[in-house]
Amino acid sequence: INDKNIKFSDWCDTWLELYKKKNIEKATYQMYESVIKNYLKPDLGFYKISAIRESHVMDMLNNMDKKGITRRKDVALLTVKQILEKAVDNDYVYKNVAKNIKIKKHVAKEKEPLPQNYIDLLQKYAKNDSRAFLGYFMIYTGVRKEELVPLTYADIDFDKKTLRINKAVHFEKNQPVLKNTKNEEIRYVPLV
């Protein structure tokens, strides 16, 4: 890397490869990759890393605001801060210009439960349709889609009437890939 002329887009790629690729979950890596590709590189990528100013980062965030992008804006700022912090650590820049930027946190709408009439319909169809059964099963057990897919009969303890959740999947191009559960913990779900 040419230290004097390194572009922000090149440092983003290096940062992903060196600091994220092997140290985080695949889904988290893909989130960083997507944010860099869709927001950071288009607005900041052409600058030399040493030429980026706080105002450039604010322009990017304001552009996201204008487009109605909310949750990804939080992630974009977090990612810029991490990338620039590693640039400081590697002496490409002397300070992290995004360090003191604060934005109003996006507050997601509170989730509403599925209306009872929908649950009743799901229950009715679940008797004859395995897809409806899986939806119904998820509602009453709290099992996530990523945890439901890899379940086997061995995960059911019929005596204790529990379901063991000890693995999950993430989806790559709509294909499930086995991984550990969140926090790598095993949990037991009652089936009573």
Side-chain angles (χ1 to χ4, degrees):
I1 297 171
N2 181 339
D3 290 9
K4 292 185 174 129
N5 295 315
I6 184 171
K7 287 194 173 179
F8 184 74
S9 62
D10 295 332
W11 179 242
C12 288
D13 295 338
T14 302
W15 175 81
L16 268 174
E17 186 67 30
L18 287 177
Y19 299 105
K20 296 299 177 185
K21 193 162 197 168
K22 298 211 175 15
N23 301 323
I24 57 176
E25 287 283 335
K26 187 135 186 145
T28 306
Y29 180 85
Q30 289 170 338
M31 176 201 62
Y32 282 125
E33 198 174 41
S34 170
V35 164
I36 288 169
K37 176 185 167 205
N38 295 317
Y39 308 114
L40 276 54
K41 283 187 176 183
D43 282 355
L44 304 172
F46 53 89
Y47 289 110
K48 289 181 185 175
I49 197 163
S50 59
I52 293 180
R53 301 292 175 254
E54 183 179 287
S55 60
H56 299 136
V57 178
M58 286 305 299
D59 280 343
M60 178 195 70
L61 297 170
N62 290 335
N63 287 338
M64 293 175 82
D65 257 347
K66 288 176 192 168
K67 294 175 185 172
I69 299 165
T70 53
R71 171 70 182 121
R72 287 289 176 184
K73 186 174 142 185
D74 297 343
V75 177
L77 179 58
L78 172 76
T79 306
V80 168
K81 285 181 177 184
Q82 289 183 50
I83 290 170
L84 290 176
E85 199 56 45
K86 283 299 175 189
V88 170
D89 293 348
N90 283 276
D91 295 325
Y92 294 125
V93 293
Y94 71 95
K95 73 174 188 172
N96 182 345
V97 296
K99 188 174 188 174
N100 294 319
I101 296 176
K102 293 187 178 12
I103 57 174
K104 187 177 177 187
K105 274 269 196 206
H106 169 68
V107 180
K109 277 195 325 188
E110 190 171 324
K111 294 180 182 175
E112 295 181 21
L114 198 60
Q116 187 60 46
N117 59 330
Y118 284 33
I119 295 172
D120 294 342
L121 267 175
L122 205 51
Q123 183 180 18
K124 176 183 167 188
Y125 290 117
K127 292 174 184 171
N128 299 315
D129 185 333
S130 61
R131 294 168 300 179
F133 172 77
L134 292 176
Y136 189 66
F137 182 80
M138 287 176 15
I139 289 170
Y140 280 99
T141 60
V143 172
R144 298 176 190 91
K145 169 180 73 171
E146 294 82 6
E147 298 167 332
L148 179 70
V149 170
L151 285 177
T152 64
Y153 282 110
D155 295 318
I156 303 170
D157 186 330
F158 289 99
D159 295 332
K160 294 181 182 175
K161 296 183 177 151
T162 59
L163 178 66
R164 180 183 58 202
I165 307 296
N166 63 346
K167 57 194 163 293
V169 296
H170 73 270
F171 293 91
E172 285 183 29
K173 298 179 183 173
N174 284 334
Q175 294 301 311
V177 177
L178 200 59
K179 67 173 194 159
N180 290 327
T181 59
K182 208 171 195 177
N183 302 325
E184 299 184 11
E185 294 176 357
I186 296 174
R187 89 176 188 278
Y188 294 89
V189 177
L191 296 175
V192 188

